[in-house]
Amino acid sequence: MASGSHNLRREYKGFDSTVLSVQAVSLSFDLSRLFGHLHTLELGVTNQFGDRIDAGGILSCIMPNLHVLILDRFNVGDPSMTKGFWKKHPHLVRLELGRKVDGLWFNDFESGMLPNLRVFKSDFLLARNVLSHVSESLVSLYLLETYNAQAPYLLRTVLHGGALPALRSLGIHRHSDNISSTNEGQGWREDESGTVTEAPFVDPNPIRRFDGNYIMSLAKAAPNLEELELVGDSDDTIDSITSALCRFPKLTRLTLSSPIYYQPFFKSFMKWREFWDWYRPNSLQQSPYAPASFEQAASDFARGCPTLEVLTVGNEISGNLLIDNG
């Protein structure tokens, strides 16, 4: 593996829940002696050059009691190692692969390899290869780096039956850019009757924001959601958004945010005092929904979707879904 100075964060819940921060000169040291009783392994490697680290050292280890694996900034150099790794770790309950994870992590993945997986987080491409094999056990799903309509396309088209009835928690990080390349499912749309259309690709491709139609498809795919996080932006009306949210009869927690230049979910929210550090209120674009304050927005959402108990509005990815183990 590459040498250099890296920051490692390792959590050994199998010992005494101690969190250790290690400055390592090289990642080629032998970790196998530490893994016999390891319950949780979280590794996020960063350096000034932004290089990914080859995951071969992890994939070659056997951690018989591993229940939680969280990785970021790792790359799979040898895809043939992944199948054996998943087969040797059937007790995994939670698996998170961050935005800076690259490679074929689920090469030749088969149903039954992770029978106890309940929490999964990854980008669209990785989820595309694994979700149909673990969908029946999942209670929490977070999709990173989706473009336009890729998330509802994945849930409604790629999954068997187009639904995750056991899912209680869903987070979606969505880009709404004028994308100049073809991405699978980005132009997908369905109506209430289930009729599907696929917008033809043009350069640049039309933007698809969060709207009532998008949320309606999510409700068809995951009707039993209790919490939902939408990271992106919307130009729809409050009535359209809340009417779609009412399709989730058990929804109690909603988080709305956008990481794009620190913009909030609705552009009009930038007029609130909380966003004045980033924007000049007199230079903002208009929005179909423009509440004067967070209090008014909370009241409007509560009125439009009576099951809601908690509304969170932010300007960055939260990712802290509360339902994480069923």
Side-chain angles (χ1 to χ4, degrees), residues 256-276:
L256 305 174
S257 64
S258 172
I260 306 173
Y261 303 114
Y262 294 99
Q263 294 180 11
F265 188 81
F266 291 104
K267 288 183 172 62
S268 61
F269 287 1
M270 292 186 288
K271 296 181 180 179
W272 299 351
R273 182 182 301 275
E274 292 85 349
F275 292 99
W276 285 3

Side-chain angles (χ1 to χ4, degrees), residues 1-2 52-60 71 73-83 100-107 126:
M1 298 183 184
R52 273 64 161 176
I53 304 302
D54 192 294
I58 297 172
L59 297 176
S60 63
L71 300 175
R73 304 194 77 91
F74 280 89
N75 176 67
V76 173
D78 182 1
S80 66
M81 299 179 68
T82 61
K83 183 176 182 178
K100 303 299 182 180
V101 163
D102 292 327
L104 301 176
W105 287 82
F106 300 104
N107 189 54
L126 294 179

Side-chain angles (χ1 to χ4, degrees), residues 10 12 15 29-39 63:
R10 301 184 294 186
Y12 298 101
F15 296 109
F29 54 85
D30 182 10
L31 294 175
S32 61
R33 290 176 297 174
L34 304 174
F35 287 160
H37 303 284
L38 196 63
H39 177 282
M63 297 165 271

Side-chain angles (χ1 to χ4, degrees), residues 62 68 70 93 202 216 255 302 306:
I62 300 176
V68 178
I70 303 172
V93 174
V202 294
M216 173 201 69
T255 298

